[in-house]
Amino acid sequence: MDINDAGIAGISLDALIKAADATDPMALDGHVALADLASGGLNTLKTVSEKIHQQRDTEARTHTLVALLDDRTMYALGAAWRIQESKVLSIVATMRTVRGVRATVDDILRTIKRAASRQEAQLRERLRNNLGKTQDSRSFKALANHPDIPKTLKLPPGWDVDSSGVYSIRISENGCEERDALCPSPMIIVGRSVDIHNGETMLKLAWKRASVWIFKTVPRASVMDARPLVQLAKWDAPISSRNAGTLVQYFTDFEATNLESLPTDNTTGHLGWQNAKGSGGFLLGKNQVGLEDKTIQLVPDDGLDRLSDGWAVAGTWEEWLKTIEPALSRPMLMTAIYASVAAPLIQVLDAPNFIVDWSGETSKGKTTALRVAASVWGCPDERAGGIIYSWDATRVWIEQSAGFVHNLPLILDDTKRSRSNNVVSQVLYDFAFGQGRGRGSPNGVRKQTRWRSVLLTTGESPATGFSEDAGTRARVISLKGAPMGEVSTENARAAMSLSLGLLENHGHLGLKLVTHLVNTRHRWDELRAKYRDIRDSYVASAGGNGVASRLAVYVSVLDMAAQIIHELGVPRPTVDPMETIWSSVSEGSREADRPMEALRDMAGWCVANQTRFWGRHETDKMGSPNMPVGGWAGTWKQGEHWESIAIFPSLVRDLLRRWEYDVNGVIESWHRRGALVTNGRSRTRPVSIDGQRARCTVISRSAIDSLIGPDE
């Protein structure tokens, strides 16, 4: 029997297709002709299933299955899939049990699904023709009165939109149009965009609630999936779990119908440089400097929408210069300006990220320093609308904010307000290395935030005290003291004058700087060469001190920032801030490696308390050991040929805690550096003290000699 004649009651598939195709497209689902066609397809599929079960040869089975790929057969099977999907799947499941043809059966199933999809598309095209008059409705045109809604949008076949909502269109059995309500407010797509960094397509949606149009740009992937689409409800979109699935189909059809007429622009998720070489220009709040595409749209991650508002210009350049006059005689305030300006230079100079920290007593001008720094770029306020943020935030939010400002300074006030010391140490570590943790997004995509910038922070105690990681601490320029000077009436007035004046006049220097950098892109190589010369000079001044040499790199960036802004018209200070900065660096380099300092302190304590160690204990006249006051500290071999010092772990922890070190961080650092003699993963090992076994923290002599020096 010819496979294409395996219909019903002797009717061929050709006849069934002709009958179904002649029917009204909107009545197909209930029309006997389509039901007959689907039954014919199912009978054909059953016949093939029975035949391959009987055949013994895999090649013959495959040949039989391939015959199903005939266009007529697939048309019938597509109809079967549309109205009797479960029966198709049941037969296919039986066919998949036949040995050697499983992959071929799976290919056929995919082809059936495609055939069904093509039929659906054809159906909607025929619907377009049948409903052409009604689809160009006056009610939809009325929605286009808003200036941000294109006048050329068309309604997709099978759908209607008016001021009361979105409706699906169907034709009743008597041939009349009927509307089924989908959502109670109009929702449309008004634009498309593409992220210039990762190529992600975005859709700009619009919906009307309480007579107000709301516009939201979201990833296209989130619009084409019901689960993330529901998330738009938090912006008052008329979406729920009940209608999200149907809305996905509506948006799919809407986009397809209007693909050629939807305005398309570019988007970015962050401020700052829009590509590595700066040819994409610089985005500073709503100011686009040197961007090749003037239609670029800023689309930040959820929760960051308002952060761009504060990066704006207010007042005049002349008044800002007049306002910052008190800073000219206060090096730590000028350093704040240099550090703020340095942020976009990090990428230009190909320099590493770093942190500038002001620490000291309250009411000594630390927050004022941050306001001066912030005024370079925008509103110097800690409240909503400003660009000074609080440490009272989650690590994730701070990470997202760093990624959003990207090449602008991240300004965080008062580490004391942080949710935990751990948050501060983690943020310092992440910021120094320029990337956060990958995280999930509503549409399931993992994102990893990156930045090239400078972190400006304040606190009563140095930020370096929150981290025992030497790499992180060596990226912090720590400025201790009073930026405004000691408490006095004069300094209080100056601080007040600065704060009030900067609220009214800000953002000018930053705009001047990026405009200058954009206009002189052809000279960036010269800037880098000059930076390297300055860096080499500072590194030489470090005199071989490893930490100071690393900090010299960041001081060099500040020096470059100072030279550039003074060329742009900022008066030179009466006291050179670079001397203050380098002095702070020299001091900070001595304490940057906290684990090393802890090891030095521990070795010093052991030397001062030698008699508390078994092996170096005192004895009585009979030669018996004298129990030391305070008890045994551990064991330490007498003489010059000792290899290690073993100390009871509880004592190690007590001493580190007393000296205000991060106990776990220090011990972990010692272990990582190989300073501890261990067995496996444990940070301790068993030793013998007066014939008794005990676990101790064992510090190797080689570690002490290498880190501290054998003569100390």
Side-chain angles (χ1 to χ4, degrees), residues 487-494:
V487 176
S488 69
T489 302
E490 180 186 354
N491 288 338
R493 288 175 178 170

Side-chain angles (χ1 to χ4, degrees), residues 152-175:
T152 57
L153 295 180
K154 300 177 182 177
L155 284 169
W159 307 94
D160 194 15
V161 183
D162 61 25
S163 58
S164 64
V166 179
Y167 302 86
S168 62
I169 303 294
R170 59 185 176 87
I171 304 299
S172 66
E173 292 184 359
N174 60 11

Side-chain angles (χ1 to χ4, degrees), residues 219-242:
R220 185 179 182 274
S222 298
V223 178
M224 300 304 167
D225 187 340
R227 286 182 296 178
L229 184 61
V230 173
Q231 298 298 318
L232 291 177
K234 63 186 176 183
W235 286 288
D236 207 23
I239 301 176
S240 68
S241 57
R242 298 183 64 181

Side-chain angles (χ1 to χ4, degrees), residues 435-447:
Q435 66 181 40
R437 301 169 296 171
R439 69 184 190 280
S441 66
N443 62 4
V445 178
R446 300 289 295 181
K447 294 184 177 181

Side-chain angles (χ1 to χ4, degrees), residues 97 177 182 225 292 459 475 482 501 516 543 695 708:
T97 63
E177 281 189 30
L182 178 56
D225 187 340
E292 296 174 354
R475 289 199 174 187
H516 169 74
R695 298 198 72 86
I708 299 178

